[in-house]
């Protein structure tokens, strides 16, 4: 498993903390397999805490054991392809047992199929409402999965919720689980980035519109502010040649210019990432160095260095010395879709947008290169970076 872990998750081995979580979940799974009611194991943690590493070790244990009827589902198309690749490298694992949740639910309901264990990565991407356009006509995908399995193991990060149709919070999760047995396994340790706790907190504070402050210089994590996106891109290309897996990413909000919907800023002009039916996921394609990554291609993936362009939907308020979020300038309208059962406030939409920024900033293991489209915000961040005040 070590080679597989390293190739996909940039880790050499499981940590002691992760091994403890796996042992505890194993105990709970065995208990659930002998129960009379479907039970749910909830793995919760922020970006970079190693949730997927833990899940994949559990997947390896149970999905290669012929005694169990199992499936792994993930609603992220790029991560789905990555897990198919992983399955091919794990002895006795069947690639066809990895599915998108809608496909699994529709197949199992049609064929009256039941499972011992269903594993769900990025469960915060499960539909919590009917989505006929995506061929899902149920009301809640977690409910449907619970009806199909003795044990459902789900990975949740409520700070990675970006769209109304995939809306989750703890209240909705526990309401959905209802009277079913469940147990929370909290992972509050950071493993993706070599950044210090204070540096991670800086990213969280920036996203939360808290007063700006200099980026802490207390680890080997490399942070650089750039006045132009062009210069940022040149440095990311250098890191990509040296270390690989270094990409430019951005948040939504860039205007269409002459019919093009590229990310355009100073000398920088590149297209957004593109969906591609090939099996290699976006971050590992050589050609993606000349595209701009989004949450839809990078959620759940690790990079070595990330070049983050904070888009036009983020501004600056000199009175409070904070970055501000402007939903009206966020051009990806999918997050604003209405739903009958929940009404979202402007602040809740701002949280969706903040979550996108927060997750993208934390993709890089070794460094974050940063710039901003808004002149005032960029200049204030540069000032903090250069003078420390």
């Amino acid at each position: 498993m070590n080679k597989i872990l390293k190739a996909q998750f940039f880790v050499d081995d499981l940590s002691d903390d992760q091994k403890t979580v796996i042992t505890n979940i194993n105990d709970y799974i065995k208990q659930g397999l002998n129960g009379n009611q479907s039970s749910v194991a909830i793995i919760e943690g922020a970006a970079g805490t190693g949730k997927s590493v833990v899940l994949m070790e559990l997947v390896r244990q149970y999905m290669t054991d012929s005694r169990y009827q199992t499936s792994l589902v993930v609603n992220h198309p790029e991560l789905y392809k990555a897990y198919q690749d992983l399955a091919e490298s794990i002895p006795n694992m069947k690639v066809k047992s990895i599915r998108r949740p809608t496909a699994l639910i529709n197949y199992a309901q049609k064929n009256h199929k039941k499972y011992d264990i269903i594993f769900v990565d990025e469960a915060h991407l499960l539909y919590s409402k009917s989505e006929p356009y995506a061929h899902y006509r149920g009301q809640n995908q977690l409910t449907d999965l619970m009806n199909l399995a003795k044990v459902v193991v789900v990975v949740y990060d409520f700070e990675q919720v970006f769209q109304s149709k995939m809306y989750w919070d703890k209240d909705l999760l526990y309401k959905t689980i209802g009277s079913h047995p469940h147990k929370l396994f909290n992972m509050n340790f950071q493993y993706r980035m070599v950044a210090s706790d204070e540096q991670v907190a800086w990213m969280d504070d920036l996203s939360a519109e808290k007063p700006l402050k200099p980026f802490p210089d207390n680890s080997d994590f490399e942070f650089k502010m750039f006045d132009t996106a062009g210069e940022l891109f040149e440095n990311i290309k250098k890191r990509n040649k040296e270390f690989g897996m270094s990409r430019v990413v951005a948040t939504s909000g860039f205007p269409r210019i002459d019919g093009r919907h590229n990310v355009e800023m100073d000398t920088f002009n590149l297209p957004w990432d593109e969906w591609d039916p090939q099996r290699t996921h976006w971050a590992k394609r050589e050609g993606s160095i000349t595209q701009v990554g989004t949450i839809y291609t990078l959620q759940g993936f690790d990079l070595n260095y990330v070049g983050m362009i904070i888009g036009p939907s983020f501004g600056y308020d000199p009175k409070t010395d904070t970055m501000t979020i402007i939903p009206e300038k966020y051009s990806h309208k999918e997050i604003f879709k209405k739903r009958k059962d929940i009404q979202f406030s402007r602040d809740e939409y701002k949280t969706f947008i903040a979550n996108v920024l927060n997750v993208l900033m934390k993709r890089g293991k070794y460094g974050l290169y940063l710039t901003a489209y808004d002149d005032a915000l960029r200049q204030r961040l540069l000032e903090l970076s250069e003078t420390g005040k």
Side-chain angles (χ1 to χ4, degrees), residues 39 86 96-99 126 154 201 214 225 247 260 315 349:
S39 60
L86 274 178
K96 66 179 183 180
S97 62
I98 300 173
R99 291 176 177 258
L126 291 174
V154 291
M225 263 302 302
R247 297 291 186 270
R260 301 186 309 274
Y349 285 127

Side-chain angles (χ1 to χ4, degrees), residues 15-56:
S15 70
D16 290 340
D17 289 330
Q18 290 168 332
K19 289 175 183 176
T20 298
V21 171
I22 288 168
T23 298
N24 293 338
I25 296 176
N26 266 322
D27 291 341
Y28 186 76
I29 289 174
K30 290 171 184 175
Q31 177 183 333
L33 289 172
N34 293 319
N36 297 320
Q37 195 177 13
S38 176
S39 60
V40 183
I42 308 158
I43 303 173
E44 184 187 353
T49 54
K51 303 180 298 295
S52 294
V53 178
V54 165
L55 185 76
M56 280 309 298

